[in-house]
């Protein structure tokens, strides 16, 4: 099992996603002789998982069933253990596009955090690219190394435990892109410029506060970056529902009734088409936004090394 290469069957030691529903799923490490409890009953790894194909429908001990999915960066983002605040797919997608990443790209990242963005970057630059990720916190750095090894991507990433604002990324003039998610990104702009290739490298800084963005933009200008722009990505989800509305009375039916001598008070005319038209309804599909939506996450500031 690897997050960058699809495997057909579930093997001992794999990380799999137990899918109970769109709003209910969780990761599990497949181990021989282990069981996993769900609301539908027990899943026995030895008999229910190992050797089965990813995507299989597995029946639990109580008669309910779940799907076992192959892990992807998107599924991992939704289910990973949170060691820090993480980036979600909405921001990750625009970061990947604006940094112009592709297979073979060299990327520097700080900080690693819970590894949500890291897994997406590794999948994008594989199989010939590389990610250099820097984490200030020693325990988080060590945990990230263990996860990358378990997920089969350790050959595509180098984890360094140091302060990027003081010591940089540990590489010079090779990176195609740099990503910063730290409290004071303006202090790392000089090191980011040193890590980027001689010309045309891209940089992105993620900051939740506009004051951080202002100081970062000033630092980018000071170090000669161009094409500086800031984006905020807001996701608005719509539900498709069936809505019923009354047909409006525009007066035409009443005019037709009077001109034709129609008497609405006559009981024999109560079932006429004109009477039904005034009281009828029409149904149609419509998109309705959710009452509660995810608001501001952070500002994304992009620039180019000239």
């Amino acid at each position: 099992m690897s997050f960058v290469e699809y495997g057909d069957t579930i093997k001992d030691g794999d990380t799999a996603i137990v899918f109970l529903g769109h709003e209910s799923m969780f990761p599990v490490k497949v181990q021989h002789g282990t069981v996993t409890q769900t609301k539908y009953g027990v899943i026995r790894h030895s008999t229910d998982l190992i050797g089965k194909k990813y995507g299989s429908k597995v029946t639990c001990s109580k008669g309910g069933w779940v799907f076992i999915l192959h892990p992807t960066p998107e599924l991992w983002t939704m289910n990973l253990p949170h060691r820090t605040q993480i980036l979600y797919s909405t921001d990750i997608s625009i970061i990947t596009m604006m940094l112009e990443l592709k297979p073979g790209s060299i990327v520097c990242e700080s900080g690693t955090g819970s590894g949500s963005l890291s897994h997406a970057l590794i999948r994008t630059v594989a199989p010939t690219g590389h990610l250099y990720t820097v984490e200030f916190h020693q325990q988080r750095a060590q945990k990230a190394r263990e996860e990358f090894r378990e997920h089969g991507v350790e050959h595509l990433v180098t984890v360094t435990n140091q302060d990027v604002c003081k010591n940089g990324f540990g590489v010079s003039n090779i990176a195609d892109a740099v990503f910063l998610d730290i409290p004071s990104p303006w202090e790392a702009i000089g090191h980011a410029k040193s890590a980027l290739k001689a010309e045309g490298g891209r940089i992105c800084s993620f900051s939740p506060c506009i004051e951080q963005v202002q100081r970062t933009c000033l630092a980018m200008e000071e170090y000669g970056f161009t094409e500086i722009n800031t984006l905020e990505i807001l996701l608005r989800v719509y539900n498709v529902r069936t809505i019923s509305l009354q047909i409006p009375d525009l007066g035409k039916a009443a005019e037709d009734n009077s001109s034709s001598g129609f008497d609405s008070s006559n009981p024999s005319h109560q079932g006429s088409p004109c009477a039904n038209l005034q009281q009828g309804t029409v149904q149609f599909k419509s998109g309705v936004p959710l009452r509660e939506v995810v608001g501001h996450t952070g500002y994304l500031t992009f620039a180019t090394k000239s």
Side-chain angles (χ1 to χ4, degrees):
M1 182 279 305
S2 172
F3 272 56
V4 297
E5 297 177 1
Y6 181 78
D8 191 46
T9 59
I10 305 171
K11 300 180 178 63
D12 189 14
D14 282 3
T15 298
I17 305 297
V18 180
F19 181 88
L20 291 82
H22 290 291
E23 302 297 329
S24 178
M25 63 184 85
F26 60 89
V28 61
K29 185 174 181 179
V30 179
Q31 293 179 314
H32 191 275
T34 303
V35 298
T36 297
Q37 295 283 349
T38 74
K39 63 181 180 180
Y40 300 124
V42 172
I43 302 175
R44 295 175 176 83
H45 294 199
S46 301
T47 57
D48 298 333
L49 299 183
I50 297 177
K52 299 292 182 64
K53 289 188 176 182
Y54 280 106
S56 297
K57 182 178 179 180
V58 174
T59 302
C60 304
S61 61
K62 293 182 180 179
W65 47 266
V66 299
F67 287 106
I68 309 299
L69 305 181
H70 192 282
T72 65
E74 290 78 14
L75 290 174
W76 185 246
T77 291
M78 298 172 63
N79 296 282
L80 58 78
H82 286 226
R83 299 184 290 272
T84 60
Q85 291 290 333
I86 69 169
L87 288 175
Y88 290 92
S89 296
T90 306
D91 289 315
I92 291 173
S93 60
I94 198 72
I95 291 169
T96 303
M97 182 186 74
M98 295 295 289
L99 289 182
E100 302 174 3
L101 301 182
K102 59 185 181 299
S105 295
I106 306 297
V107 186
C108 292
E109 175 198 25
S110 183
T112 311
S114 300
S116 173
L117 176 64
S118 303
H119 282 81
L121 295 178
I122 292 170
R123 194 262 309 271
T124 302
V125 305
T128 57
H130 201 82
L131 172 67
Y132 294 89
T133 182
V134 178
E135 173 57 51
F136 176 79
H137 194 272
Q138 182 178 3
Q139 285 75 22
R140 287 200 294 263
Q142 181 59 33
K143 186 61 178 177
R145 290 191 190 97
E146 295 173 2
E147 285 184 350
F148 293 142
R149 183 167 54 253
E150 291 176 358
H151 297 165
V153 296
E154 71 276 8
H155 61 292
L156 297 170
V157 57
T158 300
V159 182
T160 305
N161 173 221
Q162 65 187 27
D163 186 351
V164 70
C165 296
K166 295 180 179 179
N167 306 113
F169 294 94
V171 297
S172 299
N173 302 321
I174 65 169
D176 297 288
V178 170
F179 177 79
L180 298 174
D181 183 7
I182 54 179
S184 53
W186 56 89
E187 296 181 358
I189 298 300
H191 294 296
K193 183 177 181 180
S194 299
L196 287 169
K197 59 187 182 181
E199 185 177 357
R202 295 278 287 167
I203 184 174
C204 174
S205 174
F206 177 90
S207 298
C209 301
I210 195 64
E211 292 81 6
Q212 293 170 302
V213 175
Q214 293 170 337
R215 296 190 64 175
T216 302
C217 289
L218 291 174
M220 288 179 175
E221 289 182 343
E222 180 182 348
Y223 281 95
F225 284 90
T226 60
E227 301 178 349
I228 302 172
N229 62 87
T230 299
L231 308 177
E232 181 184 24
I233 311 302
L234 300 177
L235 178 65
R236 192 176 188 188
V237 179
Y238 282 78
N239 282 337
V240 178
R241 297 178 182 175
T242 301
I243 295 179
S244 298
L245 291 179
Q246 287 188 339
I247 298 176
D249 182 4
L250 303 179
K252 186 175 185 306
E255 294 176 1
D256 293 343
N257 293 345
S258 60
S259 62
S260 61
F262 177 78
D263 183 5
S264 59
S265 62
N266 190 332
S268 64
H269 294 160
Q270 292 298 318
S272 67
C274 292
N276 291 335
L277 180 63
Q278 294 181 359
Q279 300 175 1
T281 61
V282 61
Q283 292 186 337
F284 61 94
K285 300 291 185 180
S286 178
V288 181
L290 302 179
R291 293 185 178 181
E292 296 182 0
V293 297
V294 177
H296 169 76
T297 57
Y299 300 103
L300 295 169
T301 301
F302 297 90
T304 303
K305 181 180 179 180
S306 61

